Amino acid sequence: MVVEEGLEYGPAKRRAVRQLGLPPRTPLPGNEEVEDAVREYIAVFCADTQPAELQALRRLALFWMERLERFRPHLSGAVWHGTATRLSDIYIQLFCEDEKSAEIELIDQGVAYEPRTVAGLHREPVEALSFHAPSRELGETIGVHLMVHDLDDLRGALLRDNKNRTPRGDLAAVRRILDQLENH
């Protein structure tokens, strides 16, 4: 479901519980276990297409990160971790002194977006600004979600995960990844 339909881990786990007819409170695997399974699936079934799709998504993310550079953008999710396919959405976290400034910037740039409230870095509510952006490389539009955080949240956002990886990357990190891929 994650690879073939582009579902995020949480909704995919909940749907799997329903499809298997298990009780709603059935213990679920952690996101790290799901990510490992996604990587295995991609290696077996998508090895010929996924790397180019991932690179196209990262380039599209970089484009939007550059447009929103003053808001200290950080790429996260499957596009950052390398498990994205053409069905994956792009998640960019913005860190702003004034949280409404990102919304005003999108309006100034003529971007039609849908605002909603989602759980943030520490499960507190944050605004998400979602829109679709065309990808010429993939020949389709991709969902882009900007999670708008307070500037003070940036420090905690860079803590490493259980595998000692950074859970998100800034503009320089995304550029480095793309440069490394394009130079090999």
Side-chain angles (χ1 to χ4, degrees), residues 56-70:
L57 290 169
R58 284 177 169 164
R59 277 196 281 269
L60 183 59
L62 180 65
F63 171 79
W64 283 101
M65 291 173 76
E66 289 172 344
R67 285 182 73 169
L68 300 165
E69 183 172 6
R70 71 185 185 106

Side-chain angles (χ1 to χ4, degrees), residues 95-151:
F95 297 90
C96 311
E97 290 177 22
D98 171 15
E99 295 176 18
K100 284 294 177 191
S101 60
E103 198 167 349
I104 292 167
E105 181 67 24
L106 288 181
I107 292 168
D108 289 348
Q109 290 189 25
V111 177
Y113 63 90
E114 184 72 33
R116 60 190 171 98
T117 302
V118 299
L121 295 174
H122 307 291
R123 301 285 183 229
E124 82 287 356
V126 298
E127 189 164 30
L129 310 173
S130 299
F131 57 92
H132 283 86
S135 168
R136 282 191 290 259
E137 290 179 72
L138 297 174
E140 56 194 77
T141 60
I142 304 299
V144 177
H145 307 282
L146 307 174
M147 316 315 233
V148 184
H149 298 277
D150 187 82
L151 182 57

Side-chain angles (χ1 to χ4, degrees), residues 3 32-47 83:
V3 177
E32 290 179 2
E33 294 169 285
V34 174
E35 183 178 323
D36 290 343
V38 167
R39 287 186 189 285
E40 288 176 27
Y41 186 94
I42 287 171
V44 172
F45 298 105
C46 307
T83 56

Side-chain angles (χ1 to χ4, degrees), residues 17 22-26 28:
V17 166
L22 299 172
R25 296 199 184 271
T26 299
L28 301 174

